[in-house]
Amino acid sequence: MNILPVNAWLRLFRPWNAAIAAAAVWVGWACLGTRPLGPPEWQLALWGSIAMFLLVAAGNADNDAVDAETDRVNRPRRPIVSGAVSRGAARAAAFALYAAGILAAWIGTPVHGMLAAAMAGLLLAYNRSLKGTPVAGNLVIALLCALAVWFTEFPLPPRGALAAATFAFLATFARELVKDAEDVTGDRAAGLRTLAVVSGTPTARKLAFASTVVLLALLPAPMLMGYGWPYAAVAALLAGPALAPLLGELAKPDANFARAQKLLKLLMLAGMVALWAGTLGR
């Protein structure tokens, strides 16, 4: 079945994932309270959310351009593999979006522009080498997600956004390990040395489980940091139902990694909503 060009580009950029990164900036902004940051905080959040959206879209397109051979096994319906978008066009679009993301952050402040440039550099390094190394690539993506939450508070230490950044790091780290476990066949064929390839999917699954357990143990922490009862209520209503089946799935030797991925994404969204709600009671 032919793919409409617009749909192909949307599938290449994966705007839903980019929108989550943009929303993470606003969650970090909401967690700041009244802490003075110099420039108007909402302006930094606005330009930061635009920058994160563009950088994630760029990273997705760049990743597909670099990983076309791997995707022939793992994700044969991706736009480049299916022939809907050429590798050269995807690469050109990626670099244009990298530049646009850095510019958007620079409009916020030059310091944030340099942060966005460093994040773009990490994405480039991840797509070309770090993705195929045990744990290192997973840590890089988790760090990038935490930096999106920290963006508005940067370069000050992440105090207001500490809980949100920590949760983003742990959930993303677990999700990246699960993705590697799901993609182990194609990654092995492409010569990538992810943790799932080097040590086996059970090891990746157990580390993802451990990261999720740590996240569960830290869920009450925001209550000690002044977050109000709405945080606890929303976390119980939204995060709880995602955590229980997620831990159950990751505890199984024959875990369904595709399902675990979806549950982790739901957990990340639930966590952002809970933290945002919690700021209303601070």
Side-chain angles (χ1 to χ4, degrees), residues 97-125:
L97 289 172
Y98 278 134
I102 294 169
L103 177 61
W106 196 281
I107 293 173
T109 74
V111 170
H112 289 83
M114 289 186 282
L115 172 62
M119 294 175 75
L122 283 174
L123 281 169
L124 287 165

Side-chain angles (χ1 to χ4, degrees), residues 66-136:
V66 172
D67 281 354
E69 297 307 317
T70 305
D71 286 342
R72 292 188 195 281
V73 177
N74 291 334
R75 291 176 172 82
R77 291 177 58 83
R78 284 277 171 89
I80 293 176
V81 177
S82 66
V85 177
S86 72
R87 183 180 286 186
R91 186 176 289 114
F95 278 90
L97 289 172
Y98 278 134
I102 294 169
L103 177 61
W106 196 281
I107 293 173
T109 74
V111 170
H112 289 83
M114 289 186 282
L115 172 62
M119 294 175 75
L122 283 174
L123 281 169
L124 287 165
Y126 170 82
N127 288 333
R128 284 154 181 78
S129 60
L130 295 177
K131 180 181 179 180
T133 58
V135 181

